Amino acid sequence: MEDCYLTFDGHDARLRHAAVSPNGQFVLTASDDSTARLWDACTGSFLQRFSGHTGRVYSVAFSANGSLAVTASDDQTVRIWSVDSGSSFLHRRGVNAAQAWIARHNAGVKTAIFSSCGLIVLSACSDGSASLWDVESGEKQRSLIGHAGPVNSAVFSLDDVLVLTPSDDCSVRLWNAHDGALMRIFQGPEQPVTSAVFSPGGELVLMTSGLKAVLFSASGECVGILLGHEGCVRSGAFSADRNVVATASDDCSVRLWSTEGGECLRTMAGRYKGASSVVFCPFPGFGRCE
């Protein structure tokens, strides 16, 4: 594949997800081998293994200050870890002694992320719900219930006020994170919706479903359809200026698209066995460190 700067090689099974640290120095990966791993973004060197899950790890995310990581797993749990040590983050519940931060669900967990303030974890579950958890206490704050199928991911808006949840029920739901109220339903193609994200300013919503990615205005109007992949589109992301969208697909490619015109700007293919996750690095020169 052209312009491949680094390869992070070491997991013993399929890689599900990747995240870049806020300072651009590290990469976290999630795998079917039941682990998450930390890598040096400049050299590709392996740094840390996060072990404790007993099922596939579907997602990883950094906290805003980069000190913590959160993982979601098929073993029906979400865990928080110290990035430096690779050990479980400890919290206290009432007067109990410190214990590992583990949020237990009733089914496999597809995604978990931190709010930008770092005080809340948002998780998406195969039982059709999303949940908000208090990082300090480990207690569940509220559940977002209404989907008729598994929730495949969940994301906060930039100000942590709104939550998007894409589902196998062919829809994306918009929720108020503070009170759990359902605010809008974005109806996608008649296929499961694999991911949904806000544009950086919140003016647009990108959903991926089947062979396409679809752009919506914040009011729910479809404003663009990105067609060209030959396999299921698993993930999508906006560039920081929202002018470019990246999509990852089972057709073993990542594509870059113009947000305004919808044309495909570039196709990157050749090394993948299906691309399941795509992110933009927040810093220029990523992977080209001195």
Side-chain angles (χ1 to χ4, degrees):
M1 184 187 72
E2 59 179 325
D3 294 343
C4 178
Y5 304 142
L6 285 172
T7 299
F8 304 100
D9 189 11
H11 280 291
D12 298 322
R14 176 182 175 182
L15 194 148
R16 291 278 180 171
H17 190 237
V20 180
S21 65
N23 62 10
Q25 295 180 5
F26 305 103
V27 170
L28 267 174
T29 54
S31 171
D32 283 359
D33 65 9
S34 302
T35 71
R37 302 194 185 200
L38 183 71
W39 312 83
D40 187 302
C42 293
T43 65
S45 300
F46 168 72
L47 300 174
Q48 193 74 261
R49 179 184 287 104
F50 303 88
S51 299
H53 284 294
T54 58
R56 291 169 289 191
V57 181
Y58 283 130
S59 83
V60 287
F62 285 97
S63 60
N65 64 9
S67 66
L68 299 176
V70 63
T71 54
S73 173
D74 195 39
D75 67 7
Q76 304 185 10
T77 69
V78 170
R79 293 174 179 250
I80 296 180
W81 313 81
S82 166
V83 171
D84 286 341
S85 67
S87 59
S88 294
F89 173 68
L90 302 180
H91 70 90
R92 295 182 182 275
R93 283 186 174 152
V95 296
N96 293 339
Q99 55 187 289
W101 201 102
I102 302 175
R104 302 189 185 279
H105 297 65
N106 296 320
V109 191
K110 297 294 190 72
T111 297
I113 61 169
F114 288 99
S115 60
S116 61
C117 65
L119 301 178
I120 304 296
V121 163
L122 170 65
S123 61
C125 187
S126 296
D127 67 2
S129 70
S131 299
L132 294 146
W133 306 82
D134 184 271
V135 171
E136 182 67 24
S137 68
E139 299 289 345
K140 183 189 290 188
Q141 288 193 332
R142 66 185 54 85
S143 294
L144 308 177
I145 298 174
H147 280 292
V151 179
N152 292 316
S153 70
V155 295
F156 283 107
S157 58
L158 194 61
D159 58 7
D160 294 336
V161 172
L162 303 174
V163 167
L164 278 176
T165 55
S167 170
D168 277 3
D169 68 7
C170 308
S171 75
V172 174
R173 294 188 175 223
L174 179 70
W175 312 82
N176 185 308
H178 293 166
D179 61 14
L182 176 64
M183 301 184 67
R184 182 169 292 112
I185 298 177
F186 299 88
Q187 199 61 48
E190 294 182 0
Q191 296 185 65
V193 184
T194 50
S195 74
V197 292
F198 292 100
S199 62
E203 307 94 341
L204 297 173
V205 168
L206 172 70
M207 73 163 64
T208 60
S209 177
L211 302 181
K212 65 185 70 172
V214 184
L215 288 162
F216 288 89
S217 67
S219 63
E221 177 188 1
C222 177
V223 295
I225 298 177
L226 310 178
L227 282 170
H229 281 294
E230 297 177 355
C232 182
V233 184
R234 296 292 178 182
S235 174
F238 284 96
S239 61
D241 60 8
R242 85 154 210 181
N243 291 331
V244 177
V245 163
T247 53
S249 168
D250 284 351
D251 67 7
C252 305
S253 75
V254 170
R255 294 186 180 224
L256 300 180
W257 311 80
S258 166
T259 305
E260 293 300 323
E263 66 270 18
C264 182
L265 304 174
R266 190 175 184 185
T267 299
M268 295 169 282
R271 291 179 60 92
Y272 308 111
K273 296 179 180 179
S276 57
S277 175
V278 62
V279 295
F280 282 95
C281 177
F283 296 97
F286 174 71
R288 291 179 170 176
C289 305
E290 297 296 331

